[in-house]
């Protein structure tokens, strides 16, 4: 399955500025991206990075640069994909009918191959499979319905449910802690240190971050 991974190179992870300087934020964003790409490959997916600018790293997968906002860039991919196969795929991924395409965000530092396999399997059985994020976002989805498009503004999970209903697409919701946890705030780093495996968690530990359970609350501290 083709998996599109949007990645921002413009001031990445600015909300982590209280704990990481600009160079560190860029390095951590790349570590999370590599983690997600590793998990996608291990799950049997074929990743393609959709970046807002050139990526200074060898990712061992295609990288396409699109400077437009996320919604426009992803919809362009969906438009091109439907145009390529005319809305009809081959029998390789879902029998006869449209071929599913997945979109997985680059900051899912807890993602595992098992969680992604669950998402991919759901996407092969329904028109749209969505993994919602905390706070109502959309962290990953698989879509094969030729009329489904995205809108990442606001509570995008609810928007995508409405869009799917409007075009008559069936929807499956994949409730996964590992896919629901995107890393945006300093508090999210504790989740990575507690549950994370792979490049993102290793980068934090190598940079000197550790868990801090002072005052009965789990957070992070830096040596």
């Amino acid at each position: 399955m083709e998996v599109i991974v949007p990645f921002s190179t413009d001031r990445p992870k600015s909300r982590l500025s209280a704990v990481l300087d600009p160079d560190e934020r860029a390095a951590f964003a790349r570590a999370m991206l590599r983690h997600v790409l590793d998990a996608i490959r291990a799950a049997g997916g074929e990743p393609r990075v959709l970046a807002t600018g050139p990526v200074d790293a060898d990712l061992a997968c295609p990288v396409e640069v699109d400077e437009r906002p996320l919604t426009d860039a992803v919809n362009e991919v969906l438009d091109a994909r439907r145009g390529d196969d005319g809305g009809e795929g081959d029998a390789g991924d879902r029998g006869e009918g449209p071929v599913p395409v997945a979109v997985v965000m680059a900051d899912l530092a807890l993602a595992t191959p098992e969680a992604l396999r669950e998402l991919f399997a759901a996407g092969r059985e329904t028109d749209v499979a969505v993994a919602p994020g905390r706070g109502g976002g959309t962290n990953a989805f698989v879509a094969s319905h030729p009329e489904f498009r995205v809108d990442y503004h606001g509570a995008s999970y609810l928007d995508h449910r409405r869009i799917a209903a409007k075009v008559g697409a069936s929807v499956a919701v994949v409730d996964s802690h590992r896919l629901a946890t995107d890393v945006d705030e300093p508090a999210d780093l504790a989740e990575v240190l507690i549950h994370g495996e792979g490049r993102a968690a290793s980068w934090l530990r190598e940079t000197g971050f550790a868990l801090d359970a002072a005052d009965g609350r789990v957070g992070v501290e830096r040596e």
Side-chain angles (χ1 to χ4, degrees), residues 36-47:
V36 170
L37 296 177
D38 288 345
I40 290 170
R41 293 188 189 99
E46 299 178 1

Side-chain angles (χ1 to χ4, degrees), residues 4 12 14 18 48 94 109 119 121 131 133 160 173 182 192 201 207 223:
I4 306 303
S14 59
R48 176 159 64 98
R94 197 184 171 210
L119 175 70
H160 291 148
V173 179
D182 48 338
V192 181
T207 307
E223 298 174 356

Side-chain angles (χ1 to χ4, degrees), residues 125-217:
E125 298 299 326
T126 192
D127 293 328
V128 180
V130 183
R134 299 173 301 175
T138 302
N139 284 355
F141 73 86
V142 179
S144 58
H145 194 286
E147 296 179 59
F148 179 77
R149 295 296 182 270
V150 300
D151 184 347
Y152 282 104
H153 301 98
S156 63
Y157 166 68
L158 297 177
D159 292 334
H160 291 148
R161 293 293 302 262
R162 284 192 287 266
I163 292 168
K166 183 177 181 180
V167 302
S170 58
V171 176
V173 179
V174 178
D175 184 6
S176 167
H177 169 66
R178 291 192 171 275
L179 298 183
T181 304
D182 48 338
V183 179
D184 288 315
E185 308 284 350
D188 299 332
L189 301 183
E191 292 294 314
V192 181
L193 291 174
I194 293 169
H195 301 290
E197 303 172 358
R199 296 177 188 260
S202 295
W203 187 93
L204 286 176
R205 295 186 180 102
E206 291 167 2
T207 307
F209 283 92
L211 291 172
D212 177 12
D215 301 324
R217 294 184 297 179

